[in-house]
Amino acid sequence: MRNFYAIGNITKMIKITFPKKEVTVRQRAGVNELFDIIRKKWINFSPEEWVRQHMIHYLLSKKYPATLMAIEKQIKLGELTKRCDIVVYSRNNTPFMIIECKEMKVALSQKALDQVLLYHSVIQAKYLIITNGVYCFGFQKMNGQFSEIDEFPEYSI
């Protein structure tokens, strides 16, 4: 199990419990789909999408406003176009949190951390979260430095 959270010197893990409310699933033309409650559309089921949709429901259960969440937010990194899994904004429309989701069997590695840090270079959010649905790590930026957090940030902005 150690490989699931083998990122350098990270010592704090955030405990998250997904809400009991199930993500809506259907099968259409032989393809499993999940309903994205934020984008209001059906999305092809994938292990990563399962984690992302459960994280969305977790955020909603923690009173994060649905209207201030962007799912698969497109950003430009030079010539490259990338997509952030979840970006949460504050009420004054500034980036509050970036969440990078991986499927459950993917280790939360330095590569996942580097990915969310790359997104942060464009979207300057106060909090960065990486999760695979089993493990969750978070970081808060204060005074130009990131520090680990061991609790999911409350949305009170």
Side-chain angles (χ1 to χ4, degrees):
M1 289 289 251
R2 191 171 143 325
N3 290 341
F4 280 97
Y5 54 94
I7 306 173
N9 297 324
I10 295 176
T11 59
K12 298 179 181 177
M13 190 173 1
I14 298 172
K15 174 146 177 54
I16 57 173
T17 304
F18 289 138
K20 300 224 184 293
K21 182 180 184 330
E22 293 291 323
V23 173
T24 305
V25 180
R26 76 175 183 190
Q27 191 173 66
R28 188 169 143 201
V31 176
N32 290 328
E33 297 177 321
L34 301 167
F35 187 73
D36 185 319
I37 196 166
I38 304 297
R39 293 179 283 180
K40 307 281 192 241
K41 67 180 188 176
W42 291 94
I43 307 295
N44 284 345
F45 180 95
S46 70
E48 182 177 321
E49 190 63 45
W50 184 93
V51 172
R52 180 172 31 240
Q53 293 304 316
H54 280 80
M55 180 55 74
I56 290 168
H57 284 271
Y58 176 77
L59 293 170
L60 293 171
S61 76
K62 299 284 283 178
K63 306 299 184 219
Y64 280 65
T67 56
L68 295 175
M69 289 184 214
I71 311 305
E72 292 197 328
K73 168 79 173 155
Q74 187 171 307
I75 61 170
K76 290 293 254 179
L77 291 161
E79 296 294 317
L80 296 174
T81 300
K82 298 287 186 176
R83 294 180 191 275
C84 301
D85 284 322
I86 303 170
V87 178
V88 179
Y89 293 89
S90 65
R91 294 196 193 286
N92 67 2
N93 211 29
T94 58
F96 177 70
M97 181 185 307
I98 302 170
I99 303 172
E100 178 59 28
C101 301
K102 300 295 181 190
E103 63 182 88
M104 284 184 156
K105 70 179 184 179
V106 171
L108 294 180
S109 64
Q110 185 65 45
K111 184 177 176 181
L113 182 56
D114 290 344
Q115 184 178 1
V116 78
L117 286 168
L118 187 62
Y119 297 160
H120 182 267
S121 71
V122 176
I123 300 173
Q124 297 285 310
K126 182 177 180 177
Y127 294 99
L128 306 178
I129 304 288
I130 57 174
T131 186
N132 62 8
V134 177
Y135 298 102
C136 185
F137 298 108
F139 307 89
Q140 178 180 8
K141 188 170 188 179
M142 291 181 70
N143 303 320
Q145 298 289 318
F146 284 103
S147 57
E148 293 177 68
I149 57 175
D150 58 6
E151 290 185 2
F152 211 87
E154 292 293 322
Y155 190 89
S156 59
I157 294 177

